[in-house]
Amino acid sequence: MKRNGSAIWQGDLKTGKGRLSTQSGVLSEAQYGFNTRFEDGPGTNPEELIGAAHAGCFSMALSNVLGEQGLTADRIETTATVTLDKAEGGFAITAVHLEVTATIPGTDDATFQKAAETAKVNCPVSKLLTAEVSMTATLA
């Protein structure tokens, strides 16, 4: 299975503008640029897209791990915070922190923590990222 996203960039780094699109069409020429990445301009940026992808992937992975244990979550809510830091030679994504809160009938915190850790390690997006991936898991 292959999926794709695409970008078009026009201009220099600080004043240029870009557009991002996805194969599914969910994103269709979504605006991004220096001001959306390093300031508070309207539009998106690669880091928040990585965060959304990681949060979605992790939530599905956790659902799978729970299902293997005969458990079904009523709700899994995940936020992935992606850190972009100035590094030698430019910028680097240095960390991702997963904040997950789940409502899972019939389980306890120890079971949930183990399932969340297994999902974090085995989520395909976690495997892709070379940055440190940390997590806070809360059973609601």
Side-chain angles (χ1 to χ4, degrees), residues 4-6 19-31 43-45 48-49 52:
N4 69 63
S6 61
R19 297 183 309 275
L20 298 170
S21 298
T22 57
Q23 178 179 343
S24 68
V26 170
L27 286 180
S28 180
E29 298 196 9
Q31 175 184 325
T44 190
N45 59 69
E48 76 177 8
L49 295 173

PDB file of all heavy atoms in Angstrom, residues 4-6 19-31 43-45 48-49 52:
ATOM      1  N   ASN A   4       0.273   9.088  -0.926  1.00  0.00           N
ATOM      2  CA  ASN A   4       1.183  10.195  -1.164  1.00  0.00           C
ATOM      3  C   ASN A   4       0.586  11.523  -0.757  1.00  0.00           C
ATOM      4  O   ASN A   4      -0.626  11.685  -0.645  1.00  0.00           O
ATOM      5  CB  ASN A   4       1.635  10.225  -2.630  1.00  0.00           C
ATOM      6  CG  ASN A   4       0.524  10.594  -3.585  1.00  0.00           C
ATOM      7  OD1 ASN A   4      -0.011  11.700  -3.523  1.00  0.00           O
ATOM      8  ND2 ASN A   4       0.166   9.678  -4.471  1.00  0.00           N
ATOM      9  N   GLY A   5       1.486  12.429  -0.512  1.00  0.00           N
ATOM     10  CA  GLY A   5       1.188  13.831  -0.294  1.00  0.00           C
ATOM     11  C   GLY A   5       2.114  14.614  -1.197  1.00  0.00           C
ATOM     12  O   GLY A   5       3.165  14.114  -1.596  1.00  0.00           O
ATOM     13  N   SER A   6       1.738  15.825  -1.525  1.00  0.00           N
ATOM     14  CA  SER A   6       2.574  16.616  -2.419  1.00  0.00           C
ATOM     15  C   SER A   6       2.646  18.055  -1.942  1.00  0.00           C
ATOM     16  O   SER A   6       1.792  18.520  -1.180  1.00  0.00           O
ATOM     17  CB  SER A   6       2.024  16.568  -3.850  1.00  0.00           C
ATOM     18  OG  SER A   6       0.717  17.103  -3.893  1.00  0.00           O
ATOM     19  N   ARG A  19       1.880  25.152  -1.001  1.00  0.00           N
ATOM     20  CA  ARG A  19       0.576  24.494  -0.925  1.00  0.00           C
ATOM     21  C   ARG A  19       0.817  23.003  -0.766  1.00  0.00           C
ATOM     22  O   ARG A  19       1.662  22.424  -1.462  1.00  0.00           O
ATOM     23  CB  ARG A  19      -0.238  24.783  -2.183  1.00  0.00           C
ATOM     24  CG  ARG A  19      -0.557  26.265  -2.354  1.00  0.00           C
ATOM     25  CD  ARG A  19      -1.437  26.561  -3.559  1.00  0.00           C
ATOM     26  NE  ARG A  19      -0.996  25.980  -4.826  1.00  0.00           N
ATOM     27  CZ  ARG A  19      -0.109  26.519  -5.654  1.00  0.00           C
ATOM     28  NH1 ARG A  19       0.478  27.660  -5.342  1.00  0.00           N
ATOM     29  NH2 ARG A  19       0.198  25.936  -6.794  1.00  0.00           N
ATOM     30  N   LEU A  20       0.066  22.387   0.125  1.00  0.00           N
ATOM     31  CA  LEU A  20       0.167  20.957   0.391  1.00  0.00           C
ATOM     32  C   LEU A  20      -1.136  20.273  -0.002  1.00  0.00           C
ATOM     33  O   LEU A  20      -2.220  20.795   0.252  1.00  0.00           O
ATOM     34  CB  LEU A  20       0.411  20.700   1.884  1.00  0.00           C
ATOM     35  CG  LEU A  20       1.685  21.268   2.483  1.00  0.00           C
ATOM     36  CD1 LEU A  20       1.668  21.154   3.995  1.00  0.00           C
ATOM     37  CD2 LEU A  20       2.893  20.551   1.915  1.00  0.00           C
ATOM     38  N   SER A  21      -1.020  19.095  -0.593  1.00  0.00           N
ATOM     39  CA  SER A  21      -2.193  18.318  -0.981  1.00  0.00           C
ATOM     40  C   SER A  21      -1.960  16.855  -0.640  1.00  0.00           C
ATOM     41  O   SER A  21      -0.808  16.405  -0.548  1.00  0.00           O
ATOM     42  CB  SER A  21      -2.462  18.452  -2.482  1.00  0.00           C
ATOM     43  OG  SER A  21      -2.738  19.793  -2.830  1.00  0.00           O
ATOM     44  N   THR A  22      -3.042  16.127  -0.455  1.00  0.00           N
ATOM     45  CA  THR A  22      -2.952  14.694  -0.193  1.00  0.00           C
ATOM     46  C   THR A  22      -3.698  13.930  -1.270  1.00  0.00           C
ATOM     47  O   THR A  22      -4.626  14.445  -1.900  1.00  0.00           O
ATOM     48  CB  THR A  22      -3.538  14.328   1.186  1.00  0.00           C
ATOM     49  OG1 THR A  22      -4.898  14.768   1.243  1.00  0.00           O
ATOM     50  CG2 THR A  22      -2.729  14.971   2.308  1.00  0.00           C
ATOM     51  N   GLN A  23      -3.292  12.696  -1.461  1.00  0.00           N
ATOM     52  CA  GLN A  23      -3.897  11.830  -2.457  1.00  0.00           C
ATOM     53  C   GLN A  23      -5.405  11.732  -2.272  1.00  0.00           C
ATOM     54  O   GLN A  23      -6.159  11.747  -3.234  1.00  0.00           O
ATOM     55  CB  GLN A  23      -3.253  10.446  -2.359  1.00  0.00           C
ATOM     56  CG  GLN A  23      -3.799   9.407  -3.292  1.00  0.00           C
ATOM     57  CD  GLN A  23      -3.077   8.083  -3.122  1.00  0.00           C
ATOM     58  OE1 GLN A  23      -2.001   8.001  -2.555  1.00  0.00           O
ATOM     59  NE2 GLN A  23      -3.680   7.028  -3.637  1.00  0.00           N
ATOM     60  N   SER A  24      -5.858  11.647  -1.024  1.00  0.00           N
ATOM     61  CA  SER A  24      -7.288  11.499  -0.745  1.00  0.00           C
ATOM     62  C   SER A  24      -8.079  12.764  -1.040  1.00  0.00           C
ATOM     63  O   SER A  24      -9.292  12.718  -1.170  1.00  0.00           O
ATOM     64  CB  SER A  24      -7.490  11.129   0.730  1.00  0.00           C
ATOM     65  OG  SER A  24      -7.114  12.225   1.551  1.00  0.00           O
ATOM     66  N   GLY A  25      -7.391  13.897  -1.101  1.00  0.00           N
ATOM     67  CA  GLY A  25      -8.068  15.164  -1.310  1.00  0.00           C
ATOM     68  C   GLY A  25      -8.489  15.853  -0.025  1.00  0.00           C
ATOM     69  O   GLY A  25      -9.042  16.946  -0.059  1.00  0.00           O
ATOM     70  N   VAL A  26      -8.231  15.224   1.117  1.00  0.00           N
ATOM     71  CA  VAL A  26      -8.567  15.852   2.396  1.00  0.00           C
ATOM     72  C   VAL A  26      -7.837  17.184   2.518  1.00  0.00           C
ATOM     73  O   VAL A  26      -8.405  18.167   2.973  1.00  0.00           O
ATOM     74  CB  VAL A  26      -8.239  14.917   3.582  1.00  0.00           C
ATOM     75  CG1 VAL A  26      -8.354  15.638   4.903  1.00  0.00           C
ATOM     76  CG2 VAL A  26      -9.168  13.708   3.554  1.00  0.00           C
ATOM     77  N   LEU A  27      -6.588  17.196   2.109  1.00  0.00           N
ATOM     78  CA  LEU A  27      -5.869  18.464   1.967  1.00  0.00           C
ATOM     79  C   LEU A  27      -5.771  18.738   0.482  1.00  0.00           C
ATOM     80  O   LEU A  27      -5.307  17.888  -0.284  1.00  0.00           O
ATOM     81  CB  LEU A  27      -4.457  18.391   2.545  1.00  0.00           C
ATOM     82  CG  LEU A  27      -4.294  18.384   4.048  1.00  0.00           C
ATOM     83  CD1 LEU A  27      -2.814  18.314   4.401  1.00  0.00           C
ATOM     84  CD2 LEU A  27      -4.916  19.614   4.673  1.00  0.00           C
ATOM     85  N   SER A  28      -6.217  19.904   0.074  1.00  0.00           N
ATOM     86  CA  SER A  28      -6.131  20.278  -1.325  1.00  0.00           C
ATOM     87  C   SER A  28      -5.594  21.695  -1.392  1.00  0.00           C
ATOM     88  O   SER A  28      -6.309  22.654  -1.114  1.00  0.00           O
ATOM     89  CB  SER A  28      -7.508  20.195  -1.994  1.00  0.00           C
ATOM     90  OG  SER A  28      -7.415  20.572  -3.353  1.00  0.00           O
ATOM     91  N   GLU A  29      -4.305  21.774  -1.688  1.00  0.00           N
ATOM     92  CA  GLU A  29      -3.611  23.046  -1.769  1.00  0.00           C
ATOM     93  C   GLU A  29      -3.725  23.858  -0.479  1.00  0.00           C
ATOM     94  O   GLU A  29      -3.968  25.060  -0.499  1.00  0.00           O
ATOM     95  CB  GLU A  29      -4.070  23.830  -2.988  1.00  0.00           C
ATOM     96  CG  GLU A  29      -3.760  23.091  -4.277  1.00  0.00           C
ATOM     97  CD  GLU A  29      -3.836  23.948  -5.516  1.00  0.00           C
ATOM     98  OE1 GLU A  29      -3.970  25.177  -5.405  1.00  0.00           O
ATOM     99  OE2 GLU A  29      -3.750  23.372  -6.604  1.00  0.00           O
ATOM    100  N   ALA A  30      -3.566  23.178   0.667  1.00  0.00           N
ATOM    101  CA  ALA A  30      -3.555  23.856   1.965  1.00  0.00           C
ATOM    102  C   ALA A  30      -2.319  24.745   2.053  1.00  0.00           C
ATOM    103  O   ALA A  30      -1.208  24.311   1.759  1.00  0.00           O
ATOM    104  CB  ALA A  30      -3.563  22.842   3.104  1.00  0.00           C
ATOM    105  N   GLN A  31      -2.515  25.976   2.454  1.00  0.00           N
ATOM    106  CA  GLN A  31      -1.446  26.972   2.508  1.00  0.00           C
ATOM    107  C   GLN A  31      -0.444  26.650   3.616  1.00  0.00           C
ATOM    108  O   GLN A  31      -0.811  26.279   4.729  1.00  0.00           O
ATOM    109  CB  GLN A  31      -2.058  28.344   2.771  1.00  0.00           C
ATOM    110  CG  GLN A  31      -1.046  29.439   2.965  1.00  0.00           C
ATOM    111  CD  GLN A  31      -1.709  30.753   3.329  1.00  0.00           C
ATOM    112  OE1 GLN A  31      -2.782  31.069   2.863  1.00  0.00           O
ATOM    113  NE2 GLN A  31      -1.055  31.514   4.189  1.00  0.00           N
ATOM    114  N   GLY A  43      -2.733  28.829   8.122  1.00  0.00           N
ATOM    115  CA  GLY A  43      -2.307  27.718   7.281  1.00  0.00           C
ATOM    116  C   GLY A  43      -1.758  26.601   8.128  1.00  0.00           C
ATOM    117  O   GLY A  43      -1.910  26.586   9.351  1.00  0.00           O
ATOM    118  N   THR A  44      -1.107  25.674   7.506  1.00  0.00           N
ATOM    119  CA  THR A  44      -0.591  24.503   8.201  1.00  0.00           C
ATOM    120  C   THR A  44       0.933  24.498   8.138  1.00  0.00           C
ATOM    121  O   THR A  44       1.550  25.446   7.671  1.00  0.00           O
ATOM    122  CB  THR A  44      -1.193  23.203   7.611  1.00  0.00           C
ATOM    123  OG1 THR A  44      -0.840  22.108   8.452  1.00  0.00           O
ATOM    124  CG2 THR A  44      -0.732  22.946   6.196  1.00  0.00           C
ATOM    125  N   ASN A  45       1.540  23.437   8.625  1.00  0.00           N
ATOM    126  CA  ASN A  45       2.985  23.270   8.547  1.00  0.00           C
ATOM    127  C   ASN A  45       3.317  21.788   8.681  1.00  0.00           C
ATOM    128  O   ASN A  45       2.486  21.003   9.158  1.00  0.00           O
ATOM    129  CB  ASN A  45       3.704  24.114   9.614  1.00  0.00           C
ATOM    130  CG  ASN A  45       3.279  23.750  11.007  1.00  0.00           C
ATOM    131  OD1 ASN A  45       3.588  22.670  11.494  1.00  0.00           O
ATOM    132  ND2 ASN A  45       2.541  24.639  11.658  1.00  0.00           N
ATOM    133  N   GLU A  48       2.783  20.062  12.320  1.00  0.00           N
ATOM    134  CA  GLU A  48       1.445  19.720  12.787  1.00  0.00           C
ATOM    135  C   GLU A  48       0.860  18.572  11.976  1.00  0.00           C
ATOM    136  O   GLU A  48       0.089  17.772  12.492  1.00  0.00           O
ATOM    137  CB  GLU A  48       0.519  20.929  12.820  1.00  0.00           C
ATOM    138  CG  GLU A  48      -0.009  21.400  11.506  1.00  0.00           C
ATOM    139  CD  GLU A  48      -0.981  22.572  11.650  1.00  0.00           C
ATOM    140  OE1 GLU A  48      -1.151  23.139  12.746  1.00  0.00           O
ATOM    141  OE2 GLU A  48      -1.588  22.920  10.626  1.00  0.00           O
ATOM    142  N   LEU A  49       1.252  18.452  10.722  1.00  0.00           N
ATOM    143  CA  LEU A  49       0.793  17.315   9.921  1.00  0.00           C
ATOM    144  C   LEU A  49       1.417  16.017  10.409  1.00  0.00           C
ATOM    145  O   LEU A  49       0.748  14.982  10.475  1.00  0.00           O
ATOM    146  CB  LEU A  49       1.088  17.554   8.448  1.00  0.00           C
ATOM    147  CG  LEU A  49       0.341  18.727   7.813  1.00  0.00           C
ATOM    148  CD1 LEU A  49       0.840  18.977   6.405  1.00  0.00           C
ATOM    149  CD2 LEU A  49      -1.158  18.504   7.842  1.00  0.00           C
ATOM    150  N   ALA A  52      -0.460  15.168  13.574  1.00  0.00           N
ATOM    151  CA  ALA A  52      -1.777  14.575  13.305  1.00  0.00           C
ATOM    152  C   ALA A  52      -1.632  13.136  12.817  1.00  0.00           C
ATOM    153  O   ALA A  52      -2.382  12.240  13.250  1.00  0.00           O
ATOM    154  CB  ALA A  52      -2.536  15.414  12.275  1.00  0.00           C
TER     155      ALA A  52
END
